[in-house]
Amino acid sequence: MSITLDGPSHRTFPQLPGDWEAFFAPFLGGVADEMIEEIKAGVPEFARMEPAYVTNIRTAVEGALQDFVRLITDADASLDRLTEVFRYIGWGEARVGRSLDDLQVAMRIGARVALRRITAESERYDLPRTSLGELAEAILLFLDELAAAASAGYHTASEQVAGEQTRRRRRLMDMLLADPTPSPSVLADAARDAGWRLPKNVAAVALRERRTEEYLQPALPPDVLMDLNRHEPCLVVPDPDGPGRRQALETALREWSAAIGPTVELTELSGSLRWAREVLALAHRGVVPDDGLIRCVDHLPTLVVFKDEELVWTVARTRLAPLLDIRARHRDRLARTLLACLQNGFNATEVAARLHVHPQTVRYRLHQLEELFGDQLYDPEARMAFEMCLRVWLTLHAEGRES
């Protein structure tokens, strides 16, 4: 397979005077065997590999030795063929999920064996020390070229693998968020392809950027599925109630507005995302606080009230009719006071603390509200309707849409 990278190497190798082909010919084959044996001993991972892979490594070693001799004796010799081979070797290491470390160690072992054998042979041929030094420099230069080629191939494959993994995980997200979800066997196959373990429980997280500047991708746990390129970015979080999970999400998403839906089974994930998006929209409007990771389960009454705010507002215009004839500024104060009273059991002290006014001011306003609404103000069956209507009315009032 051809691995296209940055083009052929054009590095110039030193041309060493002397008959190097004659020098290397007696031991070139033997040194290749010696390299393979020492590599297998020094890198246990290579010793455990399939015979076919070891054969490929042997072929690469023998080719490297032959090409090295040509490079130092022929000014027109090219390193392109060999660098392509080592690009492919690096590419293969990444594709099978191995680190490049073992290959780099193997290459250093090979260079050490070559230098040791050359030094021994140089004594027989009475090789000058200057020539031996030039030869060692050429070997190191040669090793750099091959290592760079292997590294380039490795990184190319790593990018390919990452791209494939991302596509598979997005495809799995689409399946999980579909309504209805595919069959369990289809989900299991897609999860296996994506390298994702199917959990018992999940939750969806809806996201919104806080600002318009470009953000770094959140540093999320590896089992969290993420798609920030959707029109409405979201996450799929397995085992959302697990130890430390919420804290990890809050830390990773501190630059985002984020809402997490209820914990559900896999087949109900689309509903979790729907509720997460509902509460995130309410946070954007200021109905619920946008302070860290928003949990839908903490805002269920608000979600229910605002699920059909048009209906609630239709009821509110009747239920809150006595307020509509009061001038706007005072009407807003009375409405907020009534809501606080309903939420705090008509305790003037607690209401005053919440509204940052004097308790006597609360009592004065409450007296006005009693004149407007009469006994229904304290009717247990009416209190829930009052609270629902007030919450919607005050939100629409703040948005300028209450009329």
Side-chain angles (χ1 to χ4, degrees):
M1 180 178 294
S2 176
I3 310 300
T4 302
L5 296 166
D6 298 328
S9 170
H10 296 289
R11 197 158 182 176
T12 301
F13 275 77
Q15 302 300 297
L16 306 185
D19 189 357
W20 291 107
E21 291 183 357
F23 173 78
F24 281 105
F27 63 90
L28 202 59
V31 80
D33 292 334
E34 192 176 342
M35 284 181 180
I36 294 297
E37 291 307 312
E38 292 211 18
I39 287 171
K40 289 169 66 175
V43 186
E45 183 66 24
F46 277 79
R48 292 191 292 266
M49 290 176 184
E50 298 178 357
Y53 188 87
V54 176
T55 299
N56 289 337
I57 294 295
R58 182 182 297 276
T59 301
V61 168
E62 292 173 349
L65 291 171
Q66 293 166 3
D67 279 9
F68 175 75
V69 175
R70 280 194 293 269
L71 283 167
I72 63 173
T73 58
D74 182 356
D76 296 325
S78 171
L79 192 57
D80 295 348
R81 183 199 65 81
L82 191 60
T83 53
E84 183 70 12
V85 169
F86 274 79
R87 284 177 185 135
Y88 180 69
I89 291 173
W91 184 87
E93 291 294 290
R95 295 294 295 187
V96 298
R98 284 194 291 265
S99 165
L100 197 59
D101 295 344
D102 286 342
L103 179 60
Q104 292 173 336
V105 170
M107 294 173 69
R108 288 195 293 270
I109 290 174
R112 187 170 65 245
V113 170
L115 283 170
R116 187 177 63 217
R117 187 64 181 274
I118 289 169
T119 301
E121 295 293 332
S122 67
E123 296 178 358
R124 300 182 186 180
Y125 286 83
D126 196 22
L127 194 69
R129 287 188 174 276
T130 55
S131 297
L132 188 59
E134 292 173 343
L135 193 59
E137 182 180 351
I139 289 174
L140 295 177
L141 178 60
F142 184 67
L143 183 65
D144 285 345
E145 287 290 302
L146 300 187
S151 178
Y154 187 89
H155 290 301
T156 295
S158 296
E159 291 174 359
Q160 292 172 350
V161 169
E164 290 174 8
Q165 189 78 342
T166 297
R167 286 191 294 273
R168 290 172 180 173
R169 288 168 73 94
R170 285 178 179 169
R171 177 172 175 268
L172 176 60
M173 279 190 71
D174 290 339
M175 290 183 177
L176 291 169
L177 295 170
D179 186 16
T181 55
S183 67
S185 61
V186 172
L187 283 180
D189 289 343
R192 184 174 56 254
D193 289 343
W196 196 71
R197 181 184 62 82
L198 285 174
K200 182 179 180 181
N201 297 313
V202 289
V205 175
L207 300 173
R208 185 195 300 271
E209 293 181 349
R210 292 189 188 278
R211 299 186 297 274
T212 57
E213 298 98 78
E214 183 177 354
Y215 287 96
L216 294 175
Q217 183 168 291
L220 292 161
D223 60 343
V224 173
L225 300 178
M226 170 176 56
D227 190 349
L228 303 183
N229 295 318
R230 290 173 178 254
H231 176 63
E232 295 180 288
C234 62
L235 312 175
V236 173
V237 182
D239 303 318
D241 302 318
R245 181 66 95 184
R246 181 177 178 181
Q247 182 59 48
L249 290 173
E250 287 186 339
T251 300
L253 299 174
R254 58 183 177 273
E255 298 293 340
W256 295 77
S257 290
I260 185 167
T263 298
V264 296
E265 295 181 357
L266 283 171
T267 55
E268 301 169 332
L269 186 60
S270 61
S272 181
L273 180 59
R274 182 174 64 254
W275 286 112
R277 285 174 173 165
E278 291 272 359
V279 79
L280 188 63
L282 292 176
H284 186 62
R285 294 170 60 184
V287 177
V288 299
D290 185 2
D291 52 358
L293 183 64
I294 307 165
R295 299 173 72 238
C296 281
V297 294
D298 294 339
H299 302 282
L300 289 180
T302 303
L303 281 166
V304 172
V305 168
F306 281 84
K307 185 61 179 174
D308 194 342
E309 61 189 72
E310 182 179 350
L311 173 62
V312 176
W313 173 234
T314 300
V315 174
R317 281 181 291 191
T318 300
R319 179 72 65 176
L320 303 178
L323 284 175
L324 301 181
D325 294 331
I326 300 174
R327 56 191 176 88
R329 186 175 181 183
H330 190 50
R331 181 172 65 222
D332 182 70
R333 289 173 179 170
L334 288 178
R336 294 185 185 281
T337 300
L338 177 54
L339 179 60
C341 285
L342 291 166
Q343 293 173 336
N344 292 273
F346 290 91
N347 183 306
T349 302
E350 292 181 5
V351 172
R354 183 166 181 174
L355 298 178
H356 306 291
V357 297
H358 194 278
Q360 189 59 36
T361 302
V362 173
R363 296 186 184 97
Y364 172 73
R365 292 178 186 174
L366 186 56
H367 178 69
Q368 291 180 292
L369 290 166
E370 289 170 342
E371 291 181 345
L372 291 171
F373 292 100
D375 292 342
Q376 66 172 320
L377 203 63
Y378 301 101
D379 183 351
E381 294 184 2
R383 288 175 65 174
M384 180 177 292
F386 266 123
E387 185 172 348
M388 292 172 63
C389 291
L390 284 165
R391 295 193 69 179
V392 171
W393 186 86
L394 287 169
T395 297
L396 296 179
H397 173 74
E399 296 173 350
R401 298 193 289 127
E402 78 282 6
S403 59

